[in-house]
Every structure is written in structure tokens, then in C-alpha cells.
């Protein structure tokens, strides 16, 4: 993380921080400092944009020539679960397999990558927050920028907390000599910090519809409410020393549902194609733009992502990672169109091209992730496909789970049937016929995906909700977290991996929580306590 601490903005805006303990009473004329930089509205927007920038760090070289190690949310959310295997050739990128088998070390590349990048996000968010109130900006813009920075800091801390447990809590953009001044907070203290940021973001941010189309992807009230609900749900099932109740999740998600800002996209097949970007179903979405001049290992501005290339077919132009499992494939009910829009196999036609999947020499399961599929981009590390982080159907399913846990079974069932009805009407995925780029009818029988019985209650209803989450949100990096928070993760592992995982877990007030190692260099330089048995 140290190499990033002075990198504040993207390649277009770089300036040096001034000491907060040694400054003149008068600001230097003609020179921008951390004290006056945000007084310019364009600079304030650029500063918070820099905090967003970290969301799409996955691999490559940043604007300062620093190498960004591979780290993708699917490495934890999909591959650590029963939804996916590492993929590619057996020997390629063993660091992911180490994660899968819970035999990783504190020098693991993806772990050091995600740890470092998330702290960059915290640092950049804190730079905005420690200076924005002194900016003198128009109150509407000030509140919006502050709300976005609060949301982003909470987002990065929530990511850190789930992967590593309690972490140091910083409210300012710390410099290297301050690294070891703050020890690890407890997990519950970390969540209290996250919740406070999200609650303030809710009060400051506009609704989705208030943004111009050019501002698509910015944090909104709905996104802040959604992530607060997600954070509370996760605590309820893991470490709930903050005493949360399902009523809170129900209210937060109901507020989103009643906001009039969101709705399900009519055709499930469109959600992850370019036509589905920033749709009515998008609650939070990382923006990407294809950049055709980027080269392998180059220093070009990176507006696109590698997230799609690394998951596409190795037999063509992809790298073949993150392979959906037979377990996930078997979870889909007969004739569920979502299956073909979630995964694909050998001889399936995707985007008009018949696929040849070389299983097992280049593929671990015989499947690839349809939600990451796209035509070959102009640049090898510059995919323009946005990354969906939170969808409205997830909000509905969170509400259903909260309803089921608060004696509102009929409401939960109604939501399940709403989502299943949308799924039943979906087409096949785009370009399912060779040489075409159209959405063909799935010819789904009317008897497919029958309505959930109105008499369902108790554990049977919860099982139906968990099933719907898995097939609706499959390969969207949520399965691992769902298994952990519902106490089902350890039993999804074989005996050897289960024992290893449990040895790397921390005790929660509800369920134990598997955590990753803190990179060894920062354990030493920050003086941090390492996670169990690393």
C-alpha cells in the first residue's frame, strides 16, 4: 500500500499534499494545496472521481507507472464458493487455487493487491472528506461530493472488513509516518464506522433520478441504503455485537422499493449486455470505457477493465478463469432461461459465435461465465463492459429474506414470484444463433418456474429464498458471502479444505468468519496483529 499513498488523483490531476501541522496563515498565491484545491468545483469533482477510480482497479499499470496486481471480486465471491472453480489451465495462476483451498500465504498476489487497492480508495476518500467542508462550494455540490466520498469510504471499508476482519480506522489521508499510529479496530467497531458513513451518505446524496445521464454510476441514496442493508445482513449472520435486527434490513430495502427509482428490467437476458448498462435495475455499477490504444503492460490511461478478458474463453481470446460449477448448473430448475444467461458450455452459441471449450485442459468444469462474455475489445486490457455491483433484484431478495424473518411470509413469497415471473419471460442470451446478434425466444413453457406456494413458511421458505438468490444472482460475486452469513459455508467444503478454512477463521457472535491474511509487509510496518494461523 505504501507505494500508492502519494497517488491521489488519476493521471490528469496530481499534486503534493502539504503538512497539516506546518502551514502559513495565508495560502501561497498561484499554488494549489490540499487546503485550497477543492475550492474549485471542477477540482472537487475530479477529487471524488479519483476515489471512484479505485473501484475498477483489477490489473495493469496505473497512471504513475505502478503495477496493479490481479485482484477481482469474483476471486472471493465466486471462486471461494461452490459456484466456481479457478479455471484456465491447472498450472495457471496458482495463487487463486491457494485461495480456493485456504492454503494461501500473506504474500499472495491477489490478497496484497486487494488490500493495497482498498487502502488507496480509503486514502482518496479521506482526502476529500478532510477538505471538503472548508471548500466553500455551493451547498448542493458540497453535500453531493461529501456524500459520494462517505459512500466510497464505507464501500472500501466494508470490503476490507469482510475479507480481513477489523482494520485500522482512518478519518484523514494518512502519510507514511502515521501508518503505525492506529491499531486494528474490532470487527464490530469497524462496522459501526461503516454504518455511520452510509447513514450520512443517505442524508447527503440525491436519488438516482436526480443525476444527469453523464453522471451515471455515481453513488445515490438507493446505493447507500442498499449497502447499509447488505452490511447489516452480513453482521446479523456473523458478528452481531452491534445488535442489529431484520426489521432494519426490511425498512432500508422497502425505502428503496418505494422510492420509484428502480424496477426490474423486462428481459433478464439484457442485464449484462451493453444495452443493460445503468438500467432501471442498476443500484450501483462500476463504469468502464473501452480504450483501444492500451497495450499489454503499457502505461496508457486505463479506462477499461480486465475483468471480462480474464473470464472469457481461453480457446479464443480470453484467459479462461472463473468457471461455473456443475453444482451451480444443477441448481437451475428445468427450462429456467437464467441458466443460459449465467453460464455456457461447449457448442453453445454466444454473441453469434459457436464456442469450443477445451475441457479439461483449458477449463476446470466445462462452463464459462456468460455474464462476463462480450465481443473481443479493441484493447487487451480495456474492456468497456461495466461491472454490476448491486442490482434491484438483489434489493428485492434482501427484502424477501427480511420479510421472512419478521413474520411477513406472504410478502416474501410475492417477491419470489415477481422475480420468477420475470425470469420465465426472459429470452435466450444475445446472439444465440450463429452469425446473429439478436435476442431469440427461449420458448419457455408456461409450466416452467411455477409460483412459490402461498403456504410456504419457516425453513422451507428460507430455502426457497436462498435458492432464488443463487440462480438469480449466480456468478455475481455474492455466493461466498451468502454462505458465510447463513452459516452454510464450512459444510460446502471437503474435509481438508474445511479444516484449513476453520483454522483461518475469527470468532463471531453468531458464526465464525473465514478471513484472509494481511500482507506481511504491512503487518510488520503497521505493527498489526496477523489473522489466525498465517
Amino acid at each position: 500500500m505504501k507505494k500508492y499513498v502519494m497517488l491521489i488523483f488519476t493521471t490528469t490531476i496530481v499534486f503534493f499534499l502539504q503538512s497539516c501541522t506546518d502551514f502559513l496563515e495565508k495560502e501561497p498565491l498561484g499554488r494549489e494545496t490540499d487546503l485550497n484545491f477543492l475550492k474549485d468545483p471542477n477540482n472537487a469533482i475530479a477529487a471524488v472521481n479519483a476515489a471512484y477510480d479505485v473501484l475498477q482497479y483489477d490489473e495493469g499499470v496505473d497512471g504513475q507507472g505502478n503495477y496493479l496486481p490481479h485482484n477481482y471480486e469474483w476471486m472471493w465471491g465466486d471462486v471461494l464458493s461452490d459456484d466456481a472453480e479457478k479455471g484456465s489451465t491447472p498450472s495457471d495462476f496458482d495463487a487463486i487455487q491457494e485461495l480456493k483451498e485456504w492454503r494461501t500465504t500473506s504474500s499472495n498476489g491477489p490478497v496484497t493487491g486487494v488490500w493495497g487497492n482498498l487502502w488507496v480508495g480509503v486514502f482518496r476518500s479521506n482526502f476529500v472528506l478532510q477538505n471538503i467542508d472548508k471548500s466553500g462550494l455551493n451547498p448542493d455540490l458540497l453535500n453531493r461530493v461529501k456524500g459520494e466520498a462517505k459512500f466510497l469510504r464505507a464501500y472500501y471499508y466494508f470490503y476490507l472488513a469482510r475479507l480481513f476482519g477489523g482494520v485500522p480506522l482512518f478519518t484523514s489521508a494518512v502519510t507514511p509516518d502515521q501508518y503505525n499510529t492506529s491499531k486494528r479496530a474490532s470487527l464490530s467497531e469497524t462496522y459501526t464506522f461503516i454504518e455511520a458513513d452510509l447513514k450520512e451518505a443517505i442524508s447527503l446524496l440525491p436519488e438516482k433520478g436526480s443525476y444527469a445521464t453523464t453522471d451515471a454510476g455515481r453513488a445515490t441514496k438507493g446505493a447507500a441504503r442498499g449497502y447499509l442493508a447488505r452490511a447489516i445482513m452480513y453482521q446479523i449472520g456473523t458478528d452481531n455485537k452491534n445488535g442489529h435486527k431484520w426489521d432494519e434490513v426490511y425498512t432500508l430495502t422497502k425505502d428503496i422499493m418505494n422510492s420509484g427509482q428502480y424496477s426490474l428490467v423486462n428481459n433478464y437476458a439484457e442485464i449484462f449486455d451493453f444495452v443493460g448498462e445503468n438500467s432501471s435495475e442498476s443500484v450501483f455499477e462500476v463504469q468502464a470505457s473501452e480504450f483501444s490504444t492500451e497495450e499489454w503492460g503499457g502505461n496508457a490511461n486505463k479506462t477499461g477493465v480486465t475483468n471480462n478478458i480474464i473470464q472469457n474463453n481461453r480457446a479464443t481470446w480470453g484467459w479462461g478463469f472463473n468457471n461455473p460449477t456443475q453444482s451451480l448448473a444443477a441448481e437451475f430448475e428445468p427450462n429456467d432461461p437464467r441458466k443460459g444467461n449465467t453460464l455456457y458450455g461447449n457448442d453453445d452459441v454466444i454473441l453469434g459465435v459457436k464456442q469450443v471449450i477445451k475441457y479439461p485442459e483449458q477449463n476446470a468444469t466445462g462452463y464459462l461465465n456468460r455474464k462476463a462474455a462480450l465481443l473481443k475489445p479493441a484493447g487487451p486490457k480495456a474492456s468497456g463492459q461495466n461491472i454490476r455491483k448491486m442490482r434491484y433484484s438483489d434489493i428485492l431478495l434482501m427484502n424477501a429474506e427480511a420479510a421472512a424473518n419478521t413474520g411477513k411470509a406472504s410478502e416474501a413469497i410475492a417477491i419470489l414470484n415477481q422475480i420468477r415471473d420475470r425470469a420465465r419471460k426472459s429470452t435466450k442470451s444475445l446472439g444465440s444463433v450463429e452469425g446473429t446478434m439478436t435476442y431469440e425466444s427461449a420458448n419457455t413453457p408456461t409450466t416452467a418456474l411455477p409460483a412459490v406456494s402461498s403456504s410456504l413458511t419457516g425453513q422451507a421458505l428460507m430455502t426457497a429464498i436462498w435458492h432464488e438468490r443463487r440462480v438469480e444472482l449466480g456468478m455475481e460475486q455474492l455466493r461466498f458471502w451468502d454462505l458465510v452469513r447463513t452459516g452454510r459455508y464450512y459444510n460446502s467444503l471437503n474435509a481438508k479444505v474445511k479444516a484449513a478454512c476453520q483454522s483461518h477463521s475469527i470468532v463471531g457472535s453468531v458464526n465464525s468468519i473465514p478471513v484472509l491474511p494481511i500482507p506481511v509487509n504491512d503487518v510488520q510496518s503497521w505493527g498489526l496483529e496477523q489473522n489466525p494461523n498465517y
Side-chain angles (χ1 to χ4, degrees):
M1 194 274 280
K2 294 179 184 177
K3 66 183 180 182
Y4 297 109
V5 74
M6 296 307 293
L7 174 59
I8 306 169
F9 297 152
T10 56
T11 55
T12 57
I13 298 175
V14 179
F15 68 100
F16 293 98
L17 292 178
Q18 309 299 306
S19 169
C20 60
T21 59
D22 182 18
F23 56 88
L24 299 174
E25 291 183 5
K26 294 183 179 180
E27 296 171 357
L29 296 176
R31 194 172 77 191
E32 289 177 334
T33 72
D34 56 338
L35 299 177
N36 66 19
F37 185 81
L38 298 188
K39 291 183 176 181
D40 183 329
N42 292 325
N43 288 352
I45 293 171
V48 79
N49 285 352
Y52 280 103
D53 183 49
V54 181
L55 292 168
Q56 59 91 38
Y57 281 3
D58 49 27
E59 189 272 343
V61 179
D62 66 22
Q64 301 301 297
N66 298 307
Y67 177 68
L68 306 174
H70 286 287
N71 71 95
Y72 308 86
E73 197 160 356
W74 54 259
M75 290 178 173
W76 346 106
D78 293 337
V79 173
L80 287 185
S81 79
D82 52 2
D83 269 6
E85 296 290 344
K86 171 184 78 71
S88 188
T89 62
S91 61
D92 193 8
F93 211 164
D94 189 57
I96 305 176
Q97 194 62 29
E98 291 174 2
L99 292 168
K100 177 77 172 177
E101 298 173 3
W102 288 95
R103 56 180 176 86
T104 193
T105 67
S106 57
S107 59
N108 178 278
V111 170
T112 58
V114 73
W115 170 269
N117 289 347
L118 292 173
W119 285 115
V120 175
V122 170
F123 177 87
R124 293 182 178 187
S125 302
N126 276 336
F127 175 82
V128 175
L129 291 170
Q130 75 184 43
N131 293 293
I132 194 67
D133 285 333
K134 299 173 288 187
S135 67
L137 290 174
N138 172 286
D140 289 340
L141 180 60
L142 186 151
N143 287 339
R144 196 200 84 184
V145 170
K146 185 175 181 179
E148 290 179 60
K150 285 278 185 178
F151 172 85
L152 290 167
R153 185 170 69 180
Y155 178 95
Y156 296 127
Y157 264 117
F158 183 36
Y159 205 149
L160 284 164
R162 285 179 295 161
L163 289 178
F164 300 100
V167 292
L169 302 177
F170 298 118
T171 56
S172 61
V174 298
T175 53
D177 61 333
Q178 297 172 304
Y179 287 162
N180 60 1
T181 62
S182 183
K183 302 303 180 184
R184 294 182 69 174
S186 69
L187 187 54
S188 59
E189 289 169 339
T190 303
Y191 275 119
T192 297
F193 187 84
I194 293 164
E195 292 169 31
D197 272 357
L198 289 171
K199 288 175 182 177
E200 188 166 2
I202 292 169
S203 71
L204 293 170
L205 288 170
E207 293 282 11
K208 180 179 179 180
S210 299
Y211 282 120
T213 55
T214 53
D215 284 318
R218 292 193 181 277
T220 61
K221 283 188 187 296
R225 286 185 174 118
Y227 273 92
L228 182 56
R230 185 177 280 181
I232 290 172
M233 278 181 68
Y234 196 67
Q235 290 176 79
I236 287 173
T238 54
D239 187 54
N240 196 21
K241 294 185 181 70
N242 289 327
H244 288 296
K245 305 293 185 183
W246 278 105
D247 286 327
E248 298 169 75
V249 179
Y250 179 85
T251 299
L252 284 164
T253 51
K254 202 70 172 178
D255 285 344
I256 299 171
M257 293 161 64
N258 292 336
S259 70
Q261 302 292 309
Y262 307 95
S263 62
L264 294 178
V265 170
N266 290 331
N267 185 7
Y268 184 90
E270 295 181 355
I271 295 171
F272 284 85
D273 291 330
F274 285 115
V275 69
E277 292 188 343
N278 301 312
S279 69
S280 65
E281 193 159 342
S282 175
V283 179
F284 190 58
E285 185 168 323
V286 176
Q287 307 297 297
S289 178
E290 186 171 327
F291 190 71
S292 61
T293 60
E294 180 157 12
E295 298 177 356
W296 298 107
N299 290 316
N301 295 344
K302 193 169 189 296
T303 58
V305 294
T306 318
N307 185 66
N308 308 93
I309 289 85
I310 199 170
Q311 296 183 70
N312 268 266
N313 195 347
R314 191 179 179 93
T316 53
W317 54 270
W319 301 351
F321 288 97
N322 198 25
N323 301 163
T325 60
Q326 180 57 46
S327 172
L328 174 58
E331 185 79 15
F332 290 92
E333 296 164 59
N335 297 307
D336 187 341
R338 290 175 295 187
K339 181 177 182 180
N341 284 292
T342 302
L343 50 87
Y344 63 97
N346 191 51
D347 290 336
D348 285 340
V349 179
I350 301 297
L351 300 169
V353 179
K354 188 174 184 179
Q355 299 295 307
V356 176
I357 296 178
K358 296 181 179 179
Y359 166 80
E361 61 268 29
Q362 292 185 357
N363 184 283
T365 66
Y367 293 112
L368 286 164
N369 181 7
R370 175 61 185 89
K371 291 177 178 178
L374 77 169
L375 295 173
K376 185 176 181 179
K381 296 184 180 181
S383 163
Q385 187 184 46
N386 291 355
I387 302 173
R388 283 63 162 174
K389 291 294 187 180
M390 182 175 283
R391 293 198 286 117
Y392 185 55
S393 62
D394 186 12
I395 299 298
L396 292 176
L397 287 167
M398 284 195 279
N399 183 264
E401 193 166 344
N405 278 288
T406 53
K408 305 179 185 71
S410 61
E411 291 186 30
I413 292 167
I415 287 172
L416 293 181
N417 287 331
Q418 179 185 358
I419 289 173
R420 290 167 69 83
D421 184 60
R422 191 270 294 269
R424 191 183 307 109
K425 297 172 182 176
S426 175
T427 66
K428 293 181 180 180
S429 68
L430 181 64
S432 60
V433 176
E434 283 189 88
T436 71
M437 285 291 283
T438 57
Y439 291 100
E440 303 291 335
S441 172
N443 297 314
T444 305
T446 57
T447 55
L449 297 175
V452 174
S453 171
S454 61
S455 63
L456 215 57
T457 58
Q459 187 55 53
L461 176 56
M462 199 59 59
T463 299
I465 293 170
W466 292 342
H467 161 77
E468 210 61 38
R469 285 190 64 84
R470 191 179 187 191
V471 295
E472 171 70 19
L473 306 170
M475 302 305 292
E476 295 182 39
Q477 299 85 57
L478 292 171
R479 175 67 172 172
F480 171 64
W481 312 114
D482 278 349
L483 289 173
V484 170
R485 71 174 178 81
T486 57
R488 296 176 290 155
Y489 182 62
Y490 297 120
N491 289 336
S492 72
L493 307 172
N494 66 46
K496 182 178 179 180
V497 176
K498 178 179 180 180
C501 179
Q502 288 177 321
S503 75
H504 297 308
S505 295
I506 58 177
V507 177
S509 63
V510 183
N511 286 303
S512 295
I513 309 158
V515 289
L516 298 177
I518 296 173
V520 61
N521 288 341
D522 285 340
V523 167
Q524 295 169 355
S525 62
W526 290 28
L528 299 178
E529 180 184 355
Q530 181 59 279
N531 280 328
N533 296 307
Y534 287 113

